[in-house]
Amino acid sequence: MLEFRVLGPVGLWSDGVEAPLGGCKQRTILAALLLADGWVVSDSDLGGVLWERRPPATYQAQIYTYASRLRGHFHGGATITRCGRGYRVERGDTRFDLDEFYRLAKEGQALMRSGRTGDAASRFRAALGLWSGPTLTGVTDALADNERSRIEMARMEVLESRIDADLHLGRHRQLTGELTQLVGAHPLRETFRAKLMIALHRSDRQAEAFETFHAGCGLLREQLGVDPGPTLRSAHQAILADDFAPARPGRGDLVAGPTG
């Protein structure tokens, strides 16, 4: 069975064996067609992401060659089709890690809404586990610049959902180290800082929670010239009012895992 991957090094696998795709241009065409989700990608658009909007006179012939080489690795239901002045991928009965990520994330959100927080946390964790490195590794900068940010944004949102689920399950003590690292890596992202404040407060580390808040306020004013937003302010006010009582996992959450 074919498996396509973009959540890390771009490539395709056949029955667990990675296909030798060669240089970044072939991987760029593969990723561009996969991310188009069945829509046709024109020769001019492919030329743009391959040669930074300055394609050579022979660019269509070169794209044809790259597409032909890719076809040599396709079997088991996937095809690359020439459509007018462009190409598209029909994945058929194959696996695509980005589709799998979105499916697991959607299931996790539905489980959260239905109160099955332990199962939701497992789904979110499985979705995040699909990453094998930085998104779209091995493609041209032009394609990565166009596509990476939206995928990474989705990953951040799922990570935040997983942390919310873990906080709900009473895992605040286990989260403080991870959240401290996340705040260090994303010091201006208020959601991570607010969640760290909550985890610290629930772990009876109130002084550190307030220090985290004031440090965030200082960074926002110094680097962006703004006051903290509602997310950070709400967390601060809730801690002042002691509205964040320590959460404790219920019986079902202690044994929860993936279902289905």
Side-chain angles (χ1 to χ4, degrees):
M1 182 176 183
L2 278 181
E3 178 182 355
F4 298 104
R5 299 182 189 176
V6 297
L7 304 180
V10 170
L12 67 91
W13 277 251
S14 178
D15 297 327
V17 178
E18 184 177 5
L21 294 184
C24 78
K25 286 188 169 55
Q26 200 165 344
R27 295 177 188 274
T28 297
I29 287 183
L30 175 63
L33 295 178
L34 290 170
L35 294 173
D37 198 25
W39 292 91
V40 175
V41 183
S42 69
D43 291 345
S44 60
D45 285 342
L46 289 172
V49 296
L50 287 171
W51 289 283
E52 299 280 347
R53 301 295 174 186
R54 294 183 298 275
T58 60
Y59 81 98
Q60 287 179 302
Q62 292 189 50
I63 291 171
Y64 177 85
T65 299
Y66 292 132
S68 296
R69 290 175 181 170
L70 281 172
R71 282 195 188 97
H73 300 295
F74 277 38
H75 57 80
T79 59
I80 294 180
T81 306
R82 178 71 173 167
C83 301
R85 295 188 177 182
Y87 295 85
R88 71 174 177 178
V89 162
E90 297 176 18
R91 294 199 304 271
D93 186 21
T94 62
R95 184 173 180 268
F96 183 29
D97 61 357
L98 185 59
D99 278 354
E100 184 78 356
F101 167 78
Y102 284 126
R103 180 185 67 80
L104 288 166
K106 185 176 180 180
E107 288 178 3
Q109 295 293 353
L111 288 165
M112 282 287 284
R113 289 193 295 270
S114 66
R116 295 171 58 187
T117 312
D119 288 335
S122 295
R123 290 295 199 281
F124 294 140
R125 195 166 282 107
L128 295 167
L130 293 170
W131 256 260
S132 58
T135 306
L136 293 172
T137 302
V139 303
T140 62
D141 290 342
L143 181 65
D145 291 345
N146 287 344
E147 301 286 353
R148 183 178 286 149
S149 60
R150 70 178 179 86
I151 300 175
E152 286 296 325
M153 185 179 299
R155 178 178 178 273
M156 284 292 190
E157 290 172 355
V158 172
L159 177 58
E160 290 177 354
S161 295
R162 197 226 78 212
I163 291 169
D164 284 339
D166 283 341
L167 282 171
H168 182 82
L169 293 167
R171 297 169 179 164
H172 39 274
R173 295 185 189 278
Q174 299 97 308
L175 285 171
T176 54
E178 178 187 7
L179 282 166
T180 298
Q181 290 183 347
L182 287 169
V183 169
H186 308 277
L188 299 178
R189 193 175 181 94
E190 294 187 42
T191 49
F192 286 146
R193 190 174 294 273
K195 294 178 200 307
L196 175 58
M197 290 165 56
I198 295 166
L200 289 169
H201 176 69
R202 289 180 176 176
S203 301
D204 298 321
R205 297 164 62 179
Q206 283 79 9
E208 292 173 75
F210 289 125
E211 288 174 8
T212 299
F213 172 74
H214 291 301
C217 292
L219 279 171
L220 288 166
R221 288 167 183 151
E222 177 184 342
Q223 297 192 24
L224 301 180
V226 299
D227 289 325
T231 299
L232 209 55
R233 292 199 310 270
S234 294
H236 181 242
Q237 289 300 318
I239 290 172
L240 286 173
D242 199 24
D243 282 347
F244 287 124
R248 291 181 173 82
R251 180 180 177 86
D253 291 329
L254 286 171
V255 297
T259 61

